[in-house]
Amino acid sequence: MINGIITFDFDIKALHYLHSNSRYIKATADANSSMDIASVAYQYYQSTTNHPDIRLEDEEEVNRFKHVARRFFSEFSQN
């Protein structure tokens, strides 16, 4: 994000992160059906330190990350 404006670059970085960690995130979500996939993705993000390309520094970025996660895993489950 730049000055509170979500950029395409942010989405690409979020997608890369989600894709790189999709197996773990999906398996965790499948095992814990009470949490939605976006919350699992964010929880995994918080539990790791290996994400130099993307920083979630405020609520707006967290919400956008979760939105991208929902879209990514929605498409992922259809294929």
Side-chain angles (χ1 to χ4, degrees), residues 40-62:
V40 171
Y42 180 60
Q43 185 177 42
Y44 182 71
Y45 170 88
Q46 289 180 303
S47 71
T48 61
T49 57
N50 189 19
H51 38 75
D53 291 336
I54 187 167
R55 301 260 187 264
L56 304 180
E57 298 177 348
D58 60 32
E59 185 177 349
E60 190 175 4
E61 290 174 338
V62 170

Side-chain angles (χ1 to χ4, degrees), residues 6 10-11 59-69:
I6 295 171
F10 180 89
D11 286 4
E59 185 177 349
E60 190 175 4
E61 290 174 338
V62 170
N63 289 339
R64 182 62 185 182
F65 178 82
K66 287 182 174 182
H67 171 77
V68 172

Side-chain angles (χ1 to χ4, degrees), residues 7-34:
T7 64
F8 189 57
D9 187 54
F10 180 89
D11 286 4
I12 290 172
K13 289 176 180 178
L15 286 168
H16 175 72
Y17 178 82
L18 293 164
H19 176 60
S20 297
N21 298 290
S22 62
R23 287 184 184 176
Y24 177 83
I25 293 168
K26 183 83 169 106
T28 302
D30 288 345
N32 188 354
S33 61
S34 65

